[in-house]
Amino acid sequence: MTDIQQPYRLAELTTEEAAEAVTRAPVVIIPAGAYEQHGPGMPIATDTIRAERIADLVGARLAGRVVIGPPLPVGVSPHHMAFAGTVTLTTTTFAAVVREYVESLRRHGWRRFLVLTGHGGNNATLTTVAQDLLMSHPDVRFAWTPVTSLASGVVAQMGVSEVHGHSGEAETAQMLALAAELVHQDRLKPGTVSLDELGPESRLARSFSQPTLTLPYDELSANGVLGDPTSVTAEDGQAIVDAAVDRVSAFVEKWLDL
């Protein structure tokens, strides 16, 4: 398991310390995730756990120059609702919560925010929040990024399946590095790994990155998995985590120096 030093978490500060942190740590990092199925071997909070752990690692590396804000533990997951345990927010609710986090912290003096999302279903909503904030709060700077795509080069070298993604190689590897005690390795099973396994509409959706065709996940995979989670190791996951932490830290350091 990755060793995480104590980061600069807003939740652990007193109100006096928070007031002082506005100047010393002017960037707020907000981890966002989801409560949704992650196949037979991984926990429902996989996306939230990954986002929070990577945010902690960035916070520790930047040594008090950032604040780790309150997490967004539940995301936009209607496409997983056929699987037990999934909890979803509407895009409207998720966007409202993000905005109200920003508006609250802005009242105390913060102006720069970075959302790290472990869940791709949050991406479209974060884009709209960023655009809306340009109009409603022009003094705010709002950045966001998915976690796994920060290490796309590492993932590409892992030999992933033709069809991969949710609960597959990259996510499982990260969990083995960050929270192996929550992964039931004896229950991990491949899901859909090739386009030939999909029906016509699902094959179309997975064959083109653009246009985007959104389908429920029970039409893509019987067990909720895309890819082969049995083929990866904690070392694979550590490489992804290291690349993601490096990339985010480099961005924030340059942002702080502006």
Side-chain angles (χ1 to χ4, degrees), residues 37-115:
Q37 69 85 18
H38 273 80
M42 292 218 293
I44 284 170
T46 286
D47 292 342
T48 302
I49 292 165
R50 293 186 297 112
E52 289 183 334
R53 300 286 173 95
I54 288 174
D56 281 353
L57 289 165
V58 172
R61 179 177 294 187
L62 296 182
R65 299 183 71 199
V66 300
V67 164
I68 307 301
L72 291 154
V74 180
V76 180
S77 303
H79 44 306
H80 291 284
M81 284 301 293
F83 296 90
T86 299
V87 178
T88 190
L89 300 178
T90 63
T91 56
T92 301
T93 300
F94 183 74
V97 174
V98 175
R99 282 197 300 268
E100 289 174 23
Y101 276 20
V102 169
E103 288 166 359
S104 295
L105 294 170
R106 177 181 172 275
R107 287 275 299 270
H108 305 304
W110 278 285
R111 293 294 185 270
R112 284 182 276 184
F113 301 86
L114 170 60
V115 176

Side-chain angles (χ1 to χ4, degrees), residues 48 71 86 110 166 207 219 221:
T48 302
T86 299
W110 278 285
H166 185 77
S207 297
E219 294 185 17
S221 171

Side-chain angles (χ1 to χ4, degrees), residues 72-183:
L72 291 154
V74 180
V76 180
S77 303
H79 44 306
H80 291 284
M81 284 301 293
F83 296 90
T86 299
V87 178
T88 190
L89 300 178
T90 63
T91 56
T92 301
T93 300
F94 183 74
V97 174
V98 175
R99 282 197 300 268
E100 289 174 23
Y101 276 20
V102 169
E103 288 166 359
S104 295
L105 294 170
R106 177 181 172 275
R107 287 275 299 270
H108 305 304
W110 278 285
R111 293 294 185 270
R112 284 182 276 184
F113 301 86
L114 170 60
V115 176
L116 297 181
T117 177
H119 174 49
N122 296 337
N123 294 357
T125 307
L126 291 169
T127 298
T128 64
V129 170
Q131 294 291 338
D132 289 345
L133 286 171
L134 290 175
M135 291 293 291
S136 64
H137 297 83
D139 58 331
V140 165
R141 293 295 179 260
F142 182 87
W144 67 272
T145 182
V147 167
T148 302
S149 62
L150 292 166
S152 56
V154 175
V155 174
Q157 294 174 4
M158 287 168 48
V160 295
S161 306
E162 180 184 27
V163 174
H164 63 95
H166 185 77
S167 302
E169 293 89 343
E171 287 191 347
T172 304
Q174 289 171 68
M175 285 296 285
L176 288 172
L178 293 168
E181 71 281 3
L182 298 178
V183 179

